[in-house]
Amino acid sequence: MHTILSAQDRHSKQQVVLKAYSKAKLSSSAKAQLEGELANLRLLAGTPGVVPYVNYVEDADSCYVVMARCTGALLGELSAPCVLGPSTWIVQRPWHG
């Protein structure tokens, strides 16, 4: 599980979004999934329609995936409810952070 945070780079003043993961709560399988996500974000860098990956950083307690903050419509506003994988996930309302 992760927490989404809004942040600003102190030097560039760029608005970013942080996906924060608690190291204490990160199982080995969750860590492997996070590493896979990072590999995919790096592979897809520069692809139109994919939120730009900025950086990955850690401190003593947490891991952070840093991504560009995008403005405009939210995914839930652009897509109809859908079925994904073995479980059914329905977009009911967009997240407004």
Side-chain angles (χ1 to χ4, degrees):
M1 183 55 92
H2 60 270
T3 302
I4 304 294
L5 305 166
S6 179
Q8 182 180 41
D9 184 288
R10 287 183 181 158
H11 302 289
S12 70
K13 305 298 183 205
Q14 177 185 10
Q15 295 294 313
V16 296
V17 171
L18 306 177
K19 286 178 71 176
Y21 297 83
S22 168
K23 287 182 178 180
K25 296 179 182 178
L26 203 58
S27 68
S28 58
S29 63
K31 179 70 172 171
Q33 186 176 2
L34 175 57
E35 289 169 358
E37 178 183 354
L38 290 168
N40 286 332
L41 287 170
R42 290 176 182 128
L43 181 68
L44 295 170
T47 302
V50 176
V51 177
Y53 165 78
V54 176
N55 201 358
Y56 172 80
V57 294
E58 293 186 19
D59 62 21
D61 301 315
S62 300
C63 308
Y64 303 92
V65 178
V66 185
M67 302 178 75
R69 183 176 181 143
C70 298
T71 59
L74 299 173
L75 181 60
E77 297 168 341
L78 299 175
S79 61
C82 60
V83 176
L84 301 173
S87 299
T88 302
W89 299 89
I90 299 175
V91 177
Q92 296 178 340
R93 63 181 183 276
W95 173 77
H96 294 282

